[in-house]
Amino acid sequence: MKDIMIRATGANDQIRVFVAQTTHTVEEARKRHSLLPTSADALGRVLTATALMGMTLKHEDDTVTLRVMGDGPLGAIVAVGNNRSEVRGYVQNPNIYMPASQHGKYAFANAVGMGALHVTMDMGLKEPYTGSIPLVSGEISGDISEYYMSSEQTPSACGLAVMVDRDGTVSQAGGFLIQLLPGTDEQVAIQLEKNLEAMGGVSGLLDEGTTPQEMLKTLLKGFDWAIHREQPVRYQCNCSREKLEELLRSLGRGELEDILETQGQAEVSCHFCGDVYYFLKDDLEQLLEELDKGETH
């Protein structure tokens, strides 16, 4: 099944819902970053949440950045997404595996630890907007729900799941984000809550092979609803040699000269995708010449 994002509304536009299948996207992240199961689970949940939240943005060039800054062994978890359902991200410590069989039912939350969730929306204004909340669960989905309630006063429910096989590959990943819009009838909220209780966890649905369309039907049972948009989800980094060259240039003359003298070349890797860019002796000398020209003007 291809990765897909669906945006729909229900109950005469009183509810909006986003449902995503992200299996291949999360597996791509796992392979790029050589993630062990707990790290793959964590980054997969944050990537899925970022894809869901990106679909709430109005314009294609708008971006959302999620930073889960916990004090657990995973360290920072960062993901960036846009309205086109393109996401990228990384986890600070990729080699974490805390199986529930050894660490109990709170293994994942303990791997994340205590800390904060920071959400940055860049919508082309002078300054991006950042909202922050303390982590309430460390399970990511509950923290996303709390963010919307605390920062945007929007009643929301989020469900996320990543399933990793014994061989370490990602077999299933996906989730949903459902929100009540202003002026929602109380009976609509009550019915929606019943639907959420009846559907159980996302992991169980994914394990049963539930499609995004079927998940949508379960969430909106008893309501009229309509799908407004469907689009593929994919792992997409925007790094380039030019951007990393600018990063090297920003180090300044002294640092570049030191790299040239001690290493003879520079090897720069992208946090988000793991691609490696090589800058040889001639490249570094060229950068130094450009810095010299800039200083003389």
Side-chain angles (χ1 to χ4, degrees), residues 6-249:
I6 298 175
R7 178 171 67 87
T9 57
N12 293 319
D13 295 334
Q14 296 181 78
I15 301 170
R16 69 174 182 176
V17 58
F18 309 88
V19 180
Q21 173 86 25
T22 57
T23 305
H24 301 293
T25 302
V26 177
E27 171 63 6
E28 174 73 11
R30 183 200 67 81
K31 291 189 292 187
R32 281 185 171 273
H33 297 294
S34 301
L35 303 174
L36 288 185
T38 302
S39 297
D41 188 356
L43 181 56
R45 294 191 202 193
V46 176
L47 285 171
T48 302
T50 302
L52 291 164
M53 296 176 73
M55 194 67 147
T56 70
L57 300 170
K58 291 183 178 180
H59 305 110
E60 284 193 352
D61 293 331
D62 295 347
T63 62
V64 57
T65 302
L66 268 62
R67 291 179 292 135
V68 180
M69 311 299 287
D71 61 5
L74 286 166
I77 312 166
V78 180
V80 182
N82 57 32
N83 181 264
R84 300 185 298 276
S85 297
E86 298 169 338
V87 293
R88 62 188 188 275
Y90 66 90
V91 56
Q92 186 175 356
N93 297 316
N95 301 317
I96 302 299
Y97 184 30
M98 295 176 63
S101 59
Q102 296 178 26
H103 299 275
K105 65 178 181 178
Y106 298 113
F108 185 88
N110 289 336
V112 174
M114 303 295 290
L117 168 66
H118 307 284
V119 179
T120 300
M121 301 281 190
D122 188 343
M123 296 173 283
L125 304 176
K126 288 185 177 180
E127 295 291 337
Y129 165 78
T130 297
S132 303
I133 62 162
L135 292 173
V136 296
S137 70
E139 296 283 344
I140 310 303
S141 57
D143 302 301
I144 297 298
S145 301
E146 180 62 26
Y147 164 77
Y148 275 109
M149 193 65 229
S150 298
S151 296
E152 300 188 13
Q153 291 73 55
T154 301
S156 306
C158 180
L160 304 166
V162 175
M163 304 181 69
V164 182
D165 279 346
R166 291 184 177 182
D167 64 359
T169 61
V170 176
S171 60
Q172 294 283 348
F176 70 86
L177 174 65
I178 192 164
Q179 300 180 319
L180 297 179
L181 299 178
T184 297
D185 185 88
E186 184 178 357
Q187 292 304 311
V188 170
I190 292 172
Q191 179 61 47
L192 182 58
E193 186 173 351
K194 290 180 180 178
N195 290 353
L196 289 167
E197 290 177 357
M199 77 178 291
V202 175
S203 58
L205 294 176
L206 293 179
D207 195 35
E208 295 169 0
T210 303
T211 66
Q213 292 83 356
E214 290 168 341
M215 191 182 298
L216 185 63
K217 291 179 182 178
T218 301
L219 286 165
L220 297 177
K221 183 179 180 180
F223 300 116
D224 62 280
W225 54 275
I227 292 175
H228 299 286
R229 188 175 176 186
E230 293 187 19
Q231 65 188 27
V233 182
R234 62 175 178 159
Y235 197 98
Q236 179 69 45
C237 190
N238 66 348
C239 70
S240 66
R241 184 177 178 84
E242 289 72 24
K243 288 184 178 181
L244 292 179
E245 184 177 280
E246 187 60 35
L247 175 64
L248 284 174
R249 191 180 287 108

